[in-house]
Amino acid sequence: MFKLFNRKAQKETTKAKVSQGLKKTRVSLTQRLARVFLGQTVVDQNIIEEIEMVLLSADVGVSSTESIIQSLKDALSEYGELTKEQTFKVIKNTMVGLIKQPKHKTKLPKGHTKVVLVVGVNGVGKTTSVAKLVKREQLEDKKVLVAAGDTYRAAAVQQLRTWCERLDVPIVAQQDGADPAAVIYDALSSAKAKKMDVMIADTAGRLHTQDNLMNELEKVQRVLKKIDEHAPHETLIVLDATTGQTAFNQVKVFSDLIGIDGIILTKLDGTAKGGIIFAIQDKLGVPVKYIGVGEGVDDLSEFKPKDFVEALFD
Ligand SMILES: Nc1nc2c(ncn2[C@@H]2O[C@H](COP(=O)(O)OP(=O)(O)O)[C@@H](O)[C@H]2O)c(=O)[nH]1
Ligand SMILES: [Mg+2]
């Protein structure tokens, strides 16, 4: 009962955090859209063009913007004129429709340890996201073990250790320069021996070359399969929403070489260009699974298109 209450309270908090985190994008988007309507109650062709500019400047992306504009044109020709409210409604509905929902994951058999591999370039928020994912699993009463797969920088293991101490979860780590595949392999063996529900592995974002990094991640995936042929069950790429277009190239490189199941889009709280989420879904076809809206462990939310769009406008 208490737990149920806790979870409900947690959901409310998360909702508020998402709304707070999207404030910059919301203010930019809605204020600029409202300005387009200043003194007018109906939409005509000129206004539609101005709306197009606002959407593009929020990084919604060319083809997503085109879809939204087409919906507005269709609605306009059907109804002759549109109020501001009707216009917002068309924009919101089209935005929700643009986002493909991830296909349902097959449930793991009971007693199986789920393996989650967190990848991405340096500084995007991988280690912080690992901590946030741990917290989410804990709220679901899952037992979690963390693997310190970023052995490239000394500070990386310490940063993860600090999080794990705070969250009170076991961590498997070795000295700097250790083979990440060996660390993560050990971590999964240990997680299985301890009957953990989930093992989450942090990884390095930079090596001497990109080829090195990809080879290393490939090796990690390969050795995990020696223990569980289906592992990793999820390879998630972390992207920094404030970096704009470069994020697209990162997904392309990682997904071509190691395969990606989903995206964690971080730092949405730090940008007015949260519209990038539409461009990502549209262009990459890789689902956004979580969004990061702050530096704390509670600042991660499952990405739900409808809630996201509501938060963008309300
Ligand atoms: N504002 C904000 N900062 C974040 C978020 N996620 C991570 N950070 C910060 O980004 C910086 C780099 O994060 P870190 O997890 O070390 O990145 P890594 O190099 O990919 O492991 C840290 O200062 C984090 O606190 C987020 O969603 N919002
Ligand atoms: Mg890190």
Side-chain angles (χ1 to χ4, degrees), residues 121-128 132 159 266-267 269 292-295:
V121 305
N122 234 23
V124 287
K126 286 182 298 301
T127 305
T128 314
K132 290 171 175 177
Q159 182 192 358
T266 60
K267 310 191 194 182
D269 52 311
V293 290
E295 296 185 275

Side-chain angles (χ1 to χ4, degrees), residues 45-60:
Q45 191 57 37
N46 286 337
I47 292 189
I48 287 185
E49 272 165 31
E50 283 181 55
I51 291 173
E52 190 169 4
M53 294 312 296
V54 174
L55 294 172
L56 287 172
S57 69
D59 264 7
V60 171

Side-chain angles (χ1 to χ4, degrees), residues 182-202:
V183 176
I184 294 173
Y185 180 89
D186 282 356
L188 182 55
S189 313
S190 169
K192 283 190 103 60
K194 290 184 175 134
K195 303 208 180 328
M196 292 289 176
D197 300 300
V198 191
M199 192 273 270
I200 305 177
D202 192 15

Side-chain angles (χ1 to χ4, degrees), residues 99 101-102 277 281 288-291 301-305 308:
I99 297 168
Q101 280 288 59
I277 212 156
Q281 298 273 342
V288 175
K289 296 202 73 173
Y290 300 100
I291 54 176
S301 170
E302 201 176 318
F303 174 61
K304 299 207 177 100
F308 184 87

Side-chain angles (χ1 to χ4, degrees), residues 221-234:
Q221 290 183 328
R222 205 166 54 234
V223 301
L224 283 170
K225 292 195 192 311
K226 289 185 183 169
I227 301 179
D228 177 348
E229 60 172 329
H230 299 297
H233 303 95
E234 249 181 353

